[in-house]
Amino acid sequence: SVHTRDQVELPPPAIDNRLTVHSLWSEIDRISSEQIQAAFEGVGGEIGWQLFAEEGDMRMYRREMEVDGMVTDPLKAMHKVRGVTAREMCHYFFNPRYRYEWETTLETMTIVEEISSDALVFHQTFKRIWPASQRDALFWSHVRHSSAGTYAVTNHSTTNADYPSNTGACIRLFVTVCLACRTTYPAGEQPTRNNITTDIAYCSTVNPGGWAPAGVLRAVYKREYPKFLKRFTNYVVEQCRDKPIAI
Ligand code: 16C
């Protein structure tokens, strides 16, 4: 029928019960809540975010930070996209079926554990950045409806005995990412592709996990983060174009 495999797999409006009985639940719940709250905080004030990329409605900020001599600059991006909902954005970001279509840094992706309809554990390897060693990551990913019109995906590094770190060619990196999206439309109207706007906040902190030249790393992320956010949002707009709206 026309509805739909896709409808069924959209991020659920409430937390899946299978997640709340999993051993990672309290960590997933705490980190997701913190990340979502921080994502919508402004970039003014004391913290000192520096703008490094701007294009249309997209703005990207970073803070220069080093831990044990390794660059761990936190990134915060704001964007605004018309015609797609927060739930749709998060659906395409969370669901591994689409990942190779928009994620250009990936070499491999493995689903390590399916916790629930709204939580997965992934192992990913990334393209190598010369002259550093190749990196991999192991992280849980959780999608949730957080408040009216707001959905978010949080990804955070974890461990798994079947995927030990630093045993092969790859150095394990550590990541905390949050894509938080909020949809609005004019009061008194029904939401349609023509009147909805989704505000996006994307926050990312990557610890490279081992030596990588600071200059190369900063040059790579300054190029790759804007490329990612433009490509991903355009991808979602394309995917949704002729589909019924999912609020
Ligand atoms: O959030 C994004 N993607 C999600 C789904 O994959 C997930 C991924 C998180 C991993 C982010 C770390 C990526 C490290 C890539 C290193 C290789 C880059 C290759 C460049 C091509 C030549 O949450 C979207 C992620 C967008 C990533 C932009 C690139 C950020 C680089 C940060 C510096 C990494 C240090 C690597 C040390 C050598």
Side-chain angles (χ1 to χ4, degrees), residues 96 99-111 123-130 132-137 139 169-171 173 224:
R99 190 149 311 156
Y100 284 107
E101 294 179 25
W102 58 263
E103 176 67 278
T104 60
T105 67
L106 269 189
E107 199 149 281
T108 65
M109 174 190 68
T110 309
I111 300 171
H123 178 258
Q124 293 188 170
T125 62
F126 302 97
K127 291 178 183 161
R128 182 170 171 238
I129 302 175
W130 185 90
S133 306
Q134 191 182 10
R135 261 47 179 190
D136 69 352
F139 60 91
C170 284
I171 295 182
L173 60 72
E224 295 296 326

Short mmCIF file of all heavy atoms in Angstrom, two decimals, residues 96 99-111 123-130 132-137 139 169-171 173 224:
data_model
loop_
_atom_site.label_atom_id
_atom_site.label_comp_id
_atom_site.label_asym_id
_atom_site.label_seq_id
_atom_site.Cartn_x
_atom_site.Cartn_y
_atom_site.Cartn_z
N PRO A 96 19.98 4.07 9.26
CA PRO A 96 21.21 3.69 8.54
C PRO A 96 20.98 3.41 7.05
O PRO A 96 21.92 3.45 6.27
CB PRO A 96 21.69 2.43 9.27
CG PRO A 96 20.53 1.94 10.07
CD PRO A 96 19.67 3.13 10.36
N ARG A 99 22.33 6.30 5.10
CA ARG A 99 23.57 6.99 5.51
C ARG A 99 24.59 7.16 4.39
O ARG A 99 25.16 8.23 4.22
CB ARG A 99 24.21 6.29 6.71
CG ARG A 99 25.35 7.10 7.31
CD ARG A 99 25.50 6.91 8.79
NE ARG A 99 24.24 7.07 9.49
CZ ARG A 99 23.98 6.52 10.67
NH1 ARG A 99 24.90 5.81 11.28
NH2 ARG A 99 22.80 6.70 11.24
N TYR A 100 24.80 6.12 3.59
CA TYR A 100 25.81 6.24 2.53
C TYR A 100 25.41 7.27 1.48
O TYR A 100 26.24 7.71 0.71
CB TYR A 100 26.06 4.89 1.85
CG TYR A 100 26.91 3.93 2.66
CD1 TYR A 100 26.33 2.83 3.28
CD2 TYR A 100 28.28 4.13 2.80
CE1 TYR A 100 27.10 1.93 4.02
CE2 TYR A 100 29.06 3.24 3.53
CZ TYR A 100 28.46 2.15 4.14
OH TYR A 100 29.22 1.28 4.87
N GLU A 101 24.12 7.61 1.45
CA GLU A 101 23.68 8.55 0.41
C GLU A 101 24.03 9.99 0.73
O GLU A 101 24.08 10.83 -0.15
CB GLU A 101 22.17 8.40 0.19
CG GLU A 101 21.84 7.02 -0.40
CD GLU A 101 20.36 6.80 -0.62
OE1 GLU A 101 19.60 7.77 -0.79
OE2 GLU A 101 19.96 5.62 -0.61
N TRP A 102 24.26 10.29 2.04
CA TRP A 102 24.61 11.69 2.35
C TRP A 102 25.93 11.84 3.09
O TRP A 102 26.50 12.93 3.11
CB TRP A 102 23.48 12.35 3.15
CG TRP A 102 23.13 11.65 4.44
CD1 TRP A 102 22.12 10.75 4.63
CD2 TRP A 102 23.79 11.77 5.71
NE1 TRP A 102 22.12 10.31 5.94
CE2 TRP A 102 23.13 10.92 6.62
CE3 TRP A 102 24.87 12.53 6.18
CZ2 TRP A 102 23.51 10.79 7.96
CZ3 TRP A 102 25.26 12.40 7.51
CH2 TRP A 102 24.58 11.54 8.38
N GLU A 103 26.41 10.76 3.71
CA GLU A 103 27.62 10.83 4.54
C GLU A 103 28.84 10.53 3.69
O GLU A 103 29.01 9.39 3.23
CB GLU A 103 27.48 9.82 5.69
CG GLU A 103 28.67 9.67 6.61
CD GLU A 103 28.97 10.89 7.45
OE1 GLU A 103 29.63 11.79 6.92
OE2 GLU A 103 28.56 10.92 8.63
N THR A 104 29.68 11.53 3.45
CA THR A 104 30.81 11.34 2.52
C THR A 104 32.12 10.97 3.22
O THR A 104 33.10 10.69 2.55
CB THR A 104 31.05 12.61 1.68
OG1 THR A 104 31.37 13.67 2.57
CG2 THR A 104 29.84 12.97 0.85
N THR A 105 32.15 10.98 4.55
CA THR A 105 33.41 10.65 5.25
C THR A 105 33.51 9.16 5.56
O THR A 105 34.53 8.69 6.02
CB THR A 105 33.53 11.42 6.59
OG1 THR A 105 32.53 10.95 7.49
CG2 THR A 105 33.37 12.91 6.40
N LEU A 106 32.42 8.42 5.31
CA LEU A 106 32.36 7.01 5.70
C LEU A 106 33.15 6.08 4.81
O LEU A 106 33.13 6.22 3.59
CB LEU A 106 30.91 6.52 5.59
CG LEU A 106 29.98 6.60 6.77
CD1 LEU A 106 28.71 5.83 6.43
CD2 LEU A 106 30.64 6.02 8.01
N GLU A 107 33.79 5.10 5.43
CA GLU A 107 34.29 3.98 4.64
C GLU A 107 33.38 2.77 4.87
O GLU A 107 32.88 2.20 3.93
CB GLU A 107 35.74 3.69 5.00
CG GLU A 107 36.42 2.90 3.92
CD GLU A 107 37.89 3.19 3.82
OE1 GLU A 107 38.27 4.23 3.23
OE2 GLU A 107 38.67 2.37 4.36
N THR A 108 33.14 2.40 6.14
CA THR A 108 32.24 1.29 6.43
C THR A 108 31.30 1.65 7.58
O THR A 108 31.64 2.50 8.42
CB THR A 108 33.00 0.01 6.85
OG1 THR A 108 33.67 0.27 8.09
CG2 THR A 108 34.01 -0.40 5.81
N MET A 109 30.15 1.00 7.61
CA MET A 109 29.20 1.18 8.70
C MET A 109 28.62 -0.19 9.05
O MET A 109 28.16 -0.91 8.17
CB MET A 109 28.06 2.10 8.25
CG MET A 109 26.95 2.22 9.28
SD MET A 109 25.50 3.05 8.61
CE MET A 109 24.94 1.84 7.43
N THR A 110 28.66 -0.54 10.33
CA THR A 110 28.09 -1.81 10.79
C THR A 110 27.12 -1.53 11.93
O THR A 110 27.44 -0.73 12.82
CB THR A 110 29.21 -2.74 11.34
OG1 THR A 110 30.24 -2.82 10.36
CG2 THR A 110 28.70 -4.12 11.65
N ILE A 111 25.95 -2.16 11.88
CA ILE A 111 25.04 -2.05 13.01
C ILE A 111 25.46 -3.09 14.03
O ILE A 111 25.40 -4.28 13.77
CB ILE A 111 23.58 -2.25 12.58
CG1 ILE A 111 23.20 -1.19 11.53
CG2 ILE A 111 22.63 -2.19 13.78
CD1 ILE A 111 21.86 -1.43 10.86
N HIS A 123 29.22 0.74 14.50
CA HIS A 123 30.66 0.85 14.32
C HIS A 123 30.88 1.44 12.94
O HIS A 123 30.30 0.98 11.96
CB HIS A 123 31.34 -0.52 14.41
CG HIS A 123 32.82 -0.45 14.19
ND1 HIS A 123 33.41 -0.81 13.00
CD2 HIS A 123 33.81 -0.02 15.01
CE1 HIS A 123 34.71 -0.61 13.11
NE2 HIS A 123 34.99 -0.14 14.31
N GLN A 124 31.69 2.51 12.87
CA GLN A 124 31.97 3.12 11.57
C GLN A 124 33.47 3.31 11.40
O GLN A 124 34.17 3.63 12.36
CB GLN A 124 31.28 4.49 11.45
CG GLN A 124 29.76 4.39 11.42
CD GLN A 124 29.03 5.71 11.12
OE1 GLN A 124 27.83 5.70 10.89
NE2 GLN A 124 29.74 6.84 11.15
N THR A 125 33.94 3.10 10.19
CA THR A 125 35.31 3.53 9.86
C THR A 125 35.21 4.68 8.87
O THR A 125 34.26 4.77 8.09
CB THR A 125 36.15 2.39 9.24
OG1 THR A 125 35.55 1.98 8.00
CG2 THR A 125 36.23 1.18 10.18
N PHE A 126 36.19 5.58 8.97
CA PHE A 126 36.16 6.81 8.17
C PHE A 126 37.30 6.81 7.17
O PHE A 126 38.29 6.09 7.33
CB PHE A 126 36.27 8.02 9.10
CG PHE A 126 35.17 8.06 10.11
CD1 PHE A 126 35.37 7.59 11.40
CD2 PHE A 126 33.90 8.52 9.77
CE1 PHE A 126 34.35 7.58 12.34
CE2 PHE A 126 32.87 8.50 10.70
CZ PHE A 126 33.09 8.04 11.99
N LYS A 127 37.15 7.65 6.17
CA LYS A 127 38.23 7.84 5.20
C LYS A 127 39.45 8.36 5.92
O LYS A 127 39.33 9.16 6.86
CB LYS A 127 37.78 8.81 4.11
CG LYS A 127 36.72 8.22 3.22
CD LYS A 127 36.25 9.22 2.18
CE LYS A 127 35.12 8.61 1.35
NZ LYS A 127 34.35 9.65 0.64
N ARG A 128 40.60 7.94 5.48
CA ARG A 128 41.83 8.35 6.15
C ARG A 128 42.17 9.80 5.79
O ARG A 128 41.99 10.21 4.64
CB ARG A 128 42.97 7.41 5.71
CG ARG A 128 44.25 7.74 6.38
CD ARG A 128 45.31 6.68 6.13
NE ARG A 128 46.57 7.23 6.64
CZ ARG A 128 47.66 7.40 5.91
NH1 ARG A 128 47.70 7.02 4.64
NH2 ARG A 128 48.73 7.94 6.46
N ILE A 129 42.62 10.55 6.78
CA ILE A 129 43.13 11.89 6.52
C ILE A 129 44.66 11.83 6.56
O ILE A 129 45.24 11.60 7.62
CB ILE A 129 42.66 12.91 7.59
CG1 ILE A 129 41.13 12.96 7.67
CG2 ILE A 129 43.23 14.29 7.29
CD1 ILE A 129 40.61 13.86 8.78
N TRP A 130 45.27 11.99 5.43
CA TRP A 130 46.73 11.99 5.36
C TRP A 130 47.28 13.18 6.14
O TRP A 130 46.69 14.25 6.05
CB TRP A 130 47.14 12.08 3.89
CG TRP A 130 48.61 11.96 3.72
CD1 TRP A 130 49.32 10.82 3.54
CD2 TRP A 130 49.56 13.03 3.74
NE1 TRP A 130 50.65 11.11 3.45
CE2 TRP A 130 50.82 12.46 3.56
CE3 TRP A 130 49.47 14.42 3.89
CZ2 TRP A 130 52.01 13.23 3.54
CZ3 TRP A 130 50.62 15.19 3.87
CH2 TRP A 130 51.88 14.59 3.70
N ALA A 132 47.62 11.31 8.97
CA ALA A 132 47.23 10.63 10.22
C ALA A 132 46.79 9.19 9.93
O ALA A 132 46.52 8.84 8.78
CB ALA A 132 46.10 11.40 10.88
N SER A 133 46.70 8.38 10.98
CA SER A 133 46.17 7.02 10.81
C SER A 133 44.67 7.08 10.58
O SER A 133 44.01 8.03 11.00
CB SER A 133 46.40 6.19 12.07
OG SER A 133 47.75 6.20 12.43
N GLN A 134 44.14 6.02 9.99
CA GLN A 134 42.70 5.94 9.80
C GLN A 134 41.99 5.88 11.16
O GLN A 134 42.56 5.39 12.13
CB GLN A 134 42.35 4.69 8.98
CG GLN A 134 40.91 4.69 8.52
CD GLN A 134 40.51 3.43 7.76
OE1 GLN A 134 41.26 2.45 7.70
NE2 GLN A 134 39.34 3.48 7.16
N ARG A 135 40.76 6.36 11.21
CA ARG A 135 39.98 6.35 12.45
C ARG A 135 38.75 5.46 12.33
O ARG A 135 38.18 5.32 11.23
CB ARG A 135 39.50 7.78 12.76
CG ARG A 135 40.29 8.57 13.78
CD ARG A 135 41.73 8.56 13.61
NE ARG A 135 42.40 9.37 14.64
CZ ARG A 135 43.70 9.68 14.59
NH1 ARG A 135 44.45 9.27 13.60
NH2 ARG A 135 44.25 10.40 15.57
N ASP A 136 38.32 4.94 13.50
CA ASP A 136 37.00 4.32 13.57
C ASP A 136 36.27 4.87 14.80
O ASP A 136 36.87 5.60 15.61
CB ASP A 136 37.07 2.79 13.58
CG ASP A 136 37.67 2.20 14.85
OD1 ASP A 136 38.19 2.94 15.71
OD2 ASP A 136 37.63 0.95 14.98
N ALA A 137 34.99 4.56 14.92
CA ALA A 137 34.19 5.02 16.06
C ALA A 137 33.13 3.97 16.37
O ALA A 137 32.66 3.25 15.48
CB ALA A 137 33.52 6.36 15.75
N PHE A 139 29.55 4.00 18.53
CA PHE A 139 28.68 4.94 19.24
C PHE A 139 27.22 4.50 19.22
O PHE A 139 26.78 3.84 18.29
CB PHE A 139 28.82 6.36 18.66
CG PHE A 139 28.46 6.49 17.19
CD1 PHE A 139 27.17 6.81 16.80
CD2 PHE A 139 29.42 6.30 16.19
CE1 PHE A 139 26.83 6.94 15.45
CE2 PHE A 139 29.08 6.42 14.84
CZ PHE A 139 27.80 6.74 14.47
N ALA A 169 44.22 -1.43 12.13
CA ALA A 169 44.83 -0.26 11.48
C ALA A 169 44.26 1.05 12.01
O ALA A 169 44.88 2.10 11.88
CB ALA A 169 44.59 -0.34 9.98
N CYS A 170 43.08 0.98 12.64
CA CYS A 170 42.39 2.22 13.03
C CYS A 170 42.68 2.65 14.46
O CYS A 170 42.84 1.83 15.35
CB CYS A 170 40.88 2.04 12.90
SG CYS A 170 40.28 2.09 11.21
N ILE A 171 42.71 3.96 14.66
CA ILE A 171 42.70 4.55 15.99
C ILE A 171 41.24 4.92 16.29
O ILE A 171 40.55 5.48 15.43
CB ILE A 171 43.60 5.81 16.05
CG1 ILE A 171 45.06 5.40 15.81
CG2 ILE A 171 43.44 6.54 17.37
CD1 ILE A 171 46.05 6.55 15.89
N LEU A 173 38.32 7.04 17.58
CA LEU A 173 38.03 8.42 17.97
C LEU A 173 36.78 8.44 18.83
O LEU A 173 36.05 7.46 18.92
CB LEU A 173 37.94 9.36 16.77
CG LEU A 173 36.91 9.16 15.65
CD1 LEU A 173 35.51 9.50 16.08
CD2 LEU A 173 37.28 10.01 14.45
N GLU A 224 34.82 20.10 5.77
CA GLU A 224 33.88 18.97 5.80
C GLU A 224 32.55 19.26 6.52
O GLU A 224 31.52 18.74 6.11
CB GLU A 224 34.54 17.74 6.43
CG GLU A 224 35.71 17.19 5.61
CD GLU A 224 35.30 16.65 4.24
OE1 GLU A 224 34.19 16.11 4.12
OE2 GLU A 224 36.10 16.81 3.30
#
